[in-house]
């Protein structure tokens, strides 16, 4: 790890491209042209169950051109998303009141905190809604994810099917999700090639319903 700098910047680039840190990007679910049959039914139930969980611990690994950056923390999405993710070594991503703040490991331009666009699509159900836009969404088998028995669903979302993918400059994006027995999202992998190059983001959710401390936001000060 290199702290903030290219490593953590890569994580945020991956977040912006695939996890939607910048908001929904104007994209709908694309369900009229997307998932059908069993896939649509299961994914809609997964959206409901995951949204209802309200909060969770989360871990993520972002990869850009072979460089890995990890993040870990907790998020609450029962209202406006809030929480804190530790990114790389010494970096923070703080969500509060619909805004996202990044704390740099080293000051840049004299500032240690930088405001980003809203982070509403960091909530896990955003990936499920994105997969609903994939015409080829399908069951891909069963697997254990950190000891939890899950069902694997996968698909490929093309720019024509999703404004979010299109605005990220991605022609097509692969989306894989793993659902537990209660249809809650416990793992997601999104990958694609866009403005930031080849990006792959793997995220895990656990301890649903966990209490999330609202961090102090310094208003962009040092």
């Amino acid at each position: 790890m290199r702290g903030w700098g290219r490593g953590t910047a890569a994580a945020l680039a991956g977040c912006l491209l695939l996890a939607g840190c910048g908001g929904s990007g104007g994209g709908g679910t694309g369900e009229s042209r997307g998932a059908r049959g069993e896939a649509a039914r299961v994914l809609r139930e997964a959206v409901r169950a995951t949204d209802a969980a309200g909060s969770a611990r989360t871990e993520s690994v972002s990869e850009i051109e072979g460089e890995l950056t990890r993040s870990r923390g907790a998020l609450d999405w029962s209202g406006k998303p809030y929480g804190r993710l530790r990114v790389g070594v010494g970096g923070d991503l703080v969500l509060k009141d619909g805004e996202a703040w990044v704390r740099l490991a080293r000051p840049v331009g004299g500032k240690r905190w930088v405001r980003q666009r809203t982070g509403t699509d960091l909530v896990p159900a955003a990936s499920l809604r994105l997969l609903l836009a994939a015409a080829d969404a399908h069951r891909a088998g069963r697997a254990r994810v950190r000891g939890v028995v899950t069902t694997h669903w996968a698909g490929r979302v093309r720019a024509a099917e999703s404004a979010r993918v299109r605005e990220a400059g991605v022609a097509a994006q692969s989306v894989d999700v793993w659902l537990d027995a209660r249809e809650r999202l416990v793992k997601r992998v999104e990958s694609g090639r866009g403005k930031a190059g080849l990006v792959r983001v793997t995220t895990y959710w656990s301890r649903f319903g966990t209490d999330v401390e609202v961090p102090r936001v310094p208003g962009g000060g040092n």
Side-chain angles (χ1 to χ4, degrees):
M1 298 292 180
R2 305 180 192 178
W4 189 262
R6 188 171 185 272
T8 307
L12 290 176
C15 178
L16 288 165
L17 174 59
L18 299 176
C21 280
S24 64
T29 62
E31 292 175 39
S32 62
R33 294 175 294 173
R36 300 180 184 278
E38 181 192 25
R41 178 185 61 78
V42 171
L43 291 171
R44 290 190 189 105
E45 174 58 23
V47 169
R48 186 204 64 77
T50 303
D51 276 343
S55 66
R57 302 291 302 177
T58 183
E59 298 178 40
S60 186
V61 179
S62 300
E63 179 179 0
I64 295 183
E65 298 178 349
E67 183 166 1
L68 301 179
T69 304
R70 301 179 184 275
S71 66
R72 180 191 302 263
L75 293 174
D76 187 302
W77 56 88
S78 57
K80 286 186 177 181
Y82 67 88
R84 174 186 181 185
L85 300 178
R86 298 286 293 176
V87 182
V89 178
D92 282 288
L93 175 62
V94 173
L95 301 179
K96 186 177 181 182
D97 298 329
E99 294 186 327
W101 293 86
V102 176
R103 181 182 184 277
L104 310 180
R106 296 185 299 275
V108 174
K111 292 186 177 181
R112 190 174 290 274
W113 287 89
V114 179
R115 184 166 58 183
Q116 301 292 309
R117 292 180 295 170
T118 57
T120 54
D121 276 7
L122 277 175
V123 301
S127 296
L128 299 169
R129 294 186 177 97
L130 184 60
L131 186 53
L132 274 165
D136 66 346
H138 62 280
R139 183 191 294 265
R142 293 175 67 82
R144 283 190 177 271
V145 175
R146 297 185 170 182
V148 177
V149 176
T150 67
T151 304
H152 177 192
W153 295 84
R156 191 163 177 81
V157 184
R158 293 164 179 80
E161 298 169 322
S162 171
R164 174 179 155 192
V165 174
R166 184 168 58 253
E167 290 177 6
V170 181
Q173 177 177 315
S174 295
V175 182
D176 291 77
V177 300
W178 287 259
L179 309 178
D180 68 10
R182 297 173 62 179
E183 308 289 16
R184 298 173 303 188
L185 180 63
V186 296
K187 180 182 177 181
R188 175 209 69 201
V189 177
E190 293 185 46
S191 59
R193 184 179 292 277
K195 298 173 183 177
L198 181 63
V199 180
R200 178 183 174 92
V201 181
T202 301
T203 307
Y204 299 87
W205 290 271
S206 62
R207 293 172 56 186
F208 290 99
T210 191
D211 290 333
V212 178
E213 181 181 353
V214 180
R216 184 181 69 86
V217 177
N222 295 327

